[in-house]
Amino acid sequence: MHHNQNRCMKPQPMPPMQPCNSAAQPVICPTQYRYHDTFAPQELPVVHPFVNVTRQHTVQVPHHYYTEVNETMPGQTVVARPGMGPGMGMGPGMGMGPGMGMGPWGPPMGPGQRPCGRR
């Protein structure tokens, strides 16, 4: 028996459709299937877990503290003279009168004037 390369079946009588003028019998091949694929969406849950982490960082910021020490030291003795002490005398300021007197601390200073060497 001879096997056909296209895997068709042996000749079978054709169903009566139209009269056939040919003497040859038709060859009926196996049924072939044509697939037309379509796709329907199906939801697939995908979980993405997150962990929120709050990180607290320490930042060193200088905070300055100052110490203060008060000391009392003996100074020189000053002889009090009437009208020549601080707040007294004839100079401008809290003294008595508009004069230009000089106290034991030097000449009186007006506004804006500074002694030499101090800023």
Side-chain angles (χ1 to χ4, degrees):
M1 184 165 128
H2 181 263
H3 291 288
N4 196 345
Q5 292 290 336
N6 59 7
R7 295 173 20 174
C8 293
M9 296 191 284
K10 293 181 182 178
Q12 295 179 1
M14 186 152 178
M17 295 168 122
Q18 292 181 358
C20 196
N21 294 338
S22 172
Q25 291 291 320
V27 175
I28 309 271
C29 293
T31 305
Q32 295 181 15
Y33 294 93
R34 292 183 185 166
Y35 293 94
H36 300 278
D37 294 328
T38 61
F39 299 92
Q42 180 184 15
E43 198 173 282
L44 172 67
V46 178
V47 179
H48 298 271
F50 279 95
V51 175
N52 292 319
V53 178
T54 301
R55 299 190 299 182
Q56 187 172 6
H57 302 279
T58 302
V59 178
Q60 294 182 348
V61 178
H63 188 115
H64 299 277
Y65 295 92
Y66 298 95
T67 60
E68 193 172 304
V69 176
N70 295 321
E71 294 181 1
T72 301
M73 297 174 39
Q76 76 181 53
T77 304
V78 178
V79 178
R81 290 185 272 166
M84 298 303 233
M88 304 182 82
M90 305 300 278
M94 301 296 283
M96 313 242 333
M100 301 295 283
M102 182 185 289
W105 293 276
M109 294 284 163
Q113 295 177 337
R114 294 176 182 244
C116 292
R118 297 184 77 193
R119 293 184 176 198

